[in-house]
Amino acid sequence: YFNGTSDGLMLPDVVLGTGDCTIEMWIKTASSVRYSQLIGNEGSGGFSLLINHASATSGDLALYTPSGLLLTSVSGSWRDDVWHHIALVRSGNTFTLYTDGNANGTGTSTNSLSGSNLWIARNNVYTPRNVIGYFDDLRIDKVARYTGAFTPPGPLLSPISGTILDTNGAPCARTVHLFDRASG
């Protein structure tokens, strides 16, 4: 769960380059914020995948590359408080956004997908543009996993239990909550 203010994840030195790749995730937003960055690096020559591009309640997705806005999805394909599977696929120079297994926008670009840091659920430039909601099963591959409509995959991660330890072997001070999509 990301609270939209102090939460977010950062992956250092992610370079997907100009080759085929897939970025996919399950997400359930708790409330809408315009230009919420799902994943990306806005402002450093990177890319940015945003939700609610047209307005705070438009339900569309947008992909920005270093050259600017590359593509937007059809408005209304998104609702808060519902799990959605999102996939951004690059095959050659063609980018396709999939929502719940259906192609929902395409564009063509030769730009490299890279950045000094890749931010998840947090906009690294504009603070009011963070995601409020849940992410699950985020996967980044250097392969074009989908080329047409598909049935979104089930959970990729198995339930875990036990104590989570830090690098010194001590129990972590932070509480981690795991939820499956079926029960919310």
Side-chain angles (χ1 to χ4, degrees):
Y1 177 78
F2 295 96
N3 65 17
T5 55
S6 61
D7 288 344
L9 296 175
M10 187 269 295
L11 304 173
D13 302 321
V14 175
V15 178
L16 296 172
T18 58
D20 293 355
C21 65
T22 301
I23 300 171
E24 66 180 310
M25 68 196 80
W26 283 93
I27 183 167
K28 181 172 102 170
T29 50
S31 65
S32 296
V33 176
R34 188 165 186 203
Y35 302 120
S36 293
Q37 182 170 274
L38 299 175
I39 189 167
N41 188 326
E42 191 166 358
S44 70
F47 70 97
S48 184
L49 180 58
L50 307 173
I51 184 170
N52 293 323
H53 178 258
S55 73
T57 58
S58 62
D60 66 334
L61 298 166
L63 176 64
Y64 280 85
T65 68
S67 299
L69 178 64
L70 177 63
L71 64 100
T72 59
S73 70
V74 178
S75 292
S77 60
W78 189 276
R79 290 183 319 140
D80 288 335
D81 295 319
V82 174
W83 282 103
H84 294 281
H85 183 266
I86 303 299
L88 171 63
V89 179
R90 179 184 193 152
S91 179
N93 291 327
T94 300
F95 290 80
T96 305
L97 275 171
Y98 292 90
T99 306
D100 299 324
N102 298 304
N104 202 1
T106 63
T108 304
S109 175
T110 59
N111 285 115
S112 175
L113 293 183
S114 60
S116 58
N117 297 313
L118 190 61
W119 291 89
I120 300 165
R122 186 176 186 93
N123 189 301
N124 56 302
V125 177
Y126 304 103
T127 56
R129 298 181 182 178
N130 298 334
V131 174
I132 302 169
Y134 299 88
F135 278 65
D136 192 21
D137 295 339
L138 171 67
R139 177 168 57 178
I140 302 171
D141 289 319
K142 286 192 170 187
V143 62
R145 188 163 296 283
Y146 310 110
T147 56
F150 63 94
T151 300
L156 300 173
L157 303 175
S158 302
I160 61 171
S161 63
T163 303
I164 298 172
L165 304 177
D166 65 18
T167 57
N168 297 320
C172 289
R174 181 153 180 144
T175 302
V176 176
H177 299 277
L178 302 174
F179 300 93
D180 64 41
R181 287 188 301 275
S183 66

